[in-house]
Amino acid sequence: MGTHPCTTIDPQWPTPGQALARLRSAPPLIQCLTNTVVQQFTANVLLALGASPAMDDTEGEAGVFASIATGVLVNLGTPHAEEAQAMREAIASANAAGTPWVLDPVAIGALPVRTSLAHEFRAARPTVVRGNASEVAALAGAGAGGRGTDTTDSPEAVLGAAAGLARETGGGVAISGPADLITDGERVWRVAGGSEWLTRVTGGGCALGSVVAALAGVLMHDDAWPAGVPGGTEAGGDAGEGAPLGAGTRAAWAATVAHALYSVAAERAAAASRGPGSFAVAFLDELSLLDPADPALAHGARITVAPVEDAEHAAEAIAVDPRTAAGNPAPHEIPANPLPHHGRTYRPTGASNGAGTDPSKELR
Ligand SMILES: Nc1ncnc2c1ncn2[C@@H]1O[C@H](COP(=O)(O)OP(=O)(O)OP(=O)(O)O)[C@@H](O)[C@H]1O
Ligand SMILES: Cc1ncsc1CCO
């Protein structure tokens, strides 16, 4: 490859469409130890995509289940004592089996039980950490957390901390927001698009974690993915031409693919929705209708990449909206919410581009 590996997406890496085809040809079994609020929505999201969910968070059997699962989600939204113990079992079992697992540190920062658990689990080296910007910053030791389950930071502002976290765990770190940022510690992939309606349905981020677990399960041990491509050490670093593709880089790319699939389905659902209720239903429909051959699921359709050594430079580079590039879909106009919204104007937190800075796209 003549080009610096940090600024290219290798054409040999599976596209979102190819990854989706592989997922559907052999549906991954995804164990979700997740919060009580989002269990059904999460299971439905996985089913709609083509994966097979199982919400086994029972102490004494969660570890047994993790030994046969394709991927595992550990989400700290409602971390009761028994579930916390089940999480320990599942993580130990997943690590022993080499099964990818995703940590979603929901609302950590000020809350002691989940914050302590998140740091305990971080030391077990999650394949992917997925959270909103405040959650990722808190896990990286660079922030005090958000407002409950909502972020008070932008993904761009916490990118440097996220990259440090990725280098420490040797995995990928994914930050959701108006545009999603995913890093392996060396470079950052930006996924454009999506829909603000995802923030108005509970579990928009939590279910995304399960989709990341599904794609990591499909792609981490994918034989069709060439092993010797530029860029990547064990920790995801840039080892140069011909070096083995690191686990961290694979994890970050699997997470990027998951975010791209999610983003396309959300945009299409938003176009067919009147509000959060119809959006949630349409989103499940659109996930199931995703077509692997759709040009919107090619590499360049919404994914851009930049080096992360200099986080400021990376934030600048990725601030260029790739949707203006040839072959990309026009950004979807989010319809105004026709319902009164408790007399307040909803402003997406942490917006630095796209819908977040366009007042015409506010939900009122
Ligand atoms: N302003 C926005 N515009 C478009 N998409 C958005 C916006 N904010 C978030 N999203 C999308 O919503 C999804 C969930 O991200 P979010 O940051 O809300 O997660 P979260 O806070 O962890 O969610 P939760 O804890 O409610 O499950 C992601 O797919 C993200 O891309
Ligand atoms: C609302 C809520 N409370 C704890 S977890 C959760 C789901 C969204 O994160």
Side-chain angles (χ1 to χ4, degrees):
M1 295 255 141
T3 328
H4 191 284
C6 272
T7 52
T8 56
I9 297 170
D10 193 296
Q12 296 183 78
W13 291 11
T15 66
Q18 288 167 339
L20 178 62
R22 285 174 208 170
L23 180 148
R24 290 191 178 148
S25 68
L29 180 58
I30 305 304
Q31 180 183 13
C32 302
L33 300 94
T34 194
N35 68 75
T36 53
V37 185
V38 305
Q39 288 180 352
Q40 187 182 9
F41 183 64
T42 301
N44 281 335
V45 162
L46 284 170
L47 284 168
L49 191 69
S52 183
M55 321 316 263
D56 190 342
D57 60 357
T58 302
E59 186 180 351
E61 65 178 43
V64 178
F65 201 103
S67 69
I68 58 157
T70 319
V72 178
L73 170 66
V74 174
N75 172 301
L76 294 174
T78 52
H80 299 289
E82 189 194 334
E83 190 188 42
Q85 191 50 35
M87 288 170 172
R88 291 189 180 95
E89 294 171 9
I91 290 168
S93 187
N95 277 349
T99 301
W101 62 282
V102 174
L103 175 63
D104 190 337
V106 178
I108 67 160
L111 301 170
V113 172
R114 68 193 62 216
T115 304
S116 165
L117 283 171
H119 287 292
E120 177 187 336
F121 297 162
R122 158 187 159 174
R125 305 182 72 200
T127 313
V128 179
V129 171
R130 189 228 75 83
N132 66 38
S134 295
E135 293 162 346
V136 169
L139 190 64
R147 183 169 181 271
T149 63
D150 294 335
T151 190
T152 50
D153 298 286
S154 74
E156 288 79 4
V158 308
L159 176 59
L165 180 60
R167 288 192 292 271
E168 178 203 303
T169 62
V173 175
I175 320 163
S176 55
D180 307 310
L181 303 183
I182 302 100
T183 180
D184 64 355
E186 301 296 329
R187 65 214 99 178
V188 55
W189 290 268
R190 178 185 187 274
V191 178
S195 168
E196 274 182 61
W197 289 115
L198 278 172
T199 67
R200 307 303 308 279
V201 177
T202 194
C206 301
L208 174 58
S210 76
V211 174
V212 172
L215 270 300
V218 169
L219 293 182
M220 288 300 286
H221 302 296
D222 182 3
D223 292 339
W225 192 349
V229 297
T233 62
E234 183 58 29
D238 176 10
E241 190 81 27
L245 184 62
T249 306
R250 276 183 181 249
W253 180 250
T256 300
V257 163
H259 283 69
L261 295 169
Y262 212 76
S263 172
V264 171
E267 271 168 36
R268 292 176 180 173
S273 305
R274 295 181 56 234
S278 53
F279 172 79
V281 172
F283 182 54
L284 296 176
D285 289 346
E286 295 296 342
L287 283 168
S288 73
L289 289 168
L290 287 175
D291 177 357
D294 188 330
L297 301 184
H299 279 330
R302 64 195 55 241
I303 302 168
T304 49
V305 63
V308 83
E309 295 101 34
D310 170 359
E312 235 171 75
H313 166 254
E316 250 169 55
I318 58 181
V320 178
D321 191 338
R323 290 172 296 188
T324 54
N328 288 316
H332 171 64
E333 295 293 327
I334 297 165
N337 186 348
L339 302 174
H341 199 54
H342 309 298
R344 70 184 167 87
T345 299
Y346 173 74
R347 287 174 196 283
T349 48
S352 68
N353 52 50
T357 50
D358 181 350
S360 70
K361 292 181 179 175
E362 287 173 0
L363 305 177
R364 289 174 196 284

